[in-house]
Amino acid sequence: MGIEINNLAAQSGTAIYKLLLGHIGETVILSTAAVVVTGVLEAIQQSYATIRKSDGDAEYVVLGFVESVIIPGA
């Protein structure tokens, strides 16, 4: 018995995907245990988000590792 970690990550990734889906083109702040990424949500896939940072670089964030989502103005 127990919870499979892979299943838990998949479920949280799906919830974050659904949350972010309606905010493409808006500024978002995604944080994982290792990094905080701030920028415009450019694209969203089932497993990762593409964030365009202020310096023009794209950052890819794996949704299964996201610990918090902030959408300023939402």
Side-chain angles (χ1 to χ4, degrees):
M1 293 292 257
I3 297 174
E4 292 185 33
I5 297 301
N6 290 340
N7 191 27
L8 188 59
Q11 288 177 2
S12 68
T14 299
I16 293 167
Y17 168 78
K18 289 179 180 180
L19 171 71
L20 291 175
L21 196 56
H23 296 283
I24 293 174
E26 296 180 31
T27 298
V28 296
I29 303 166
L30 302 179
S31 64
T32 68
V35 68
V36 175
V37 180
T38 302
V40 175
L41 179 62
E42 198 166 78
I44 185 84
Q45 302 292 325
Q46 280 293 111
S47 59
Y48 68 92
T50 305
I51 309 294
R52 183 67 58 184
K53 300 187 310 183
S54 60
D55 63 3
D57 288 343
E59 184 85 29
Y60 302 96
V61 180
V62 177
L63 299 181
F65 294 121
V66 171
E67 293 181 351
S68 71
V69 175
I70 299 171
I71 304 168

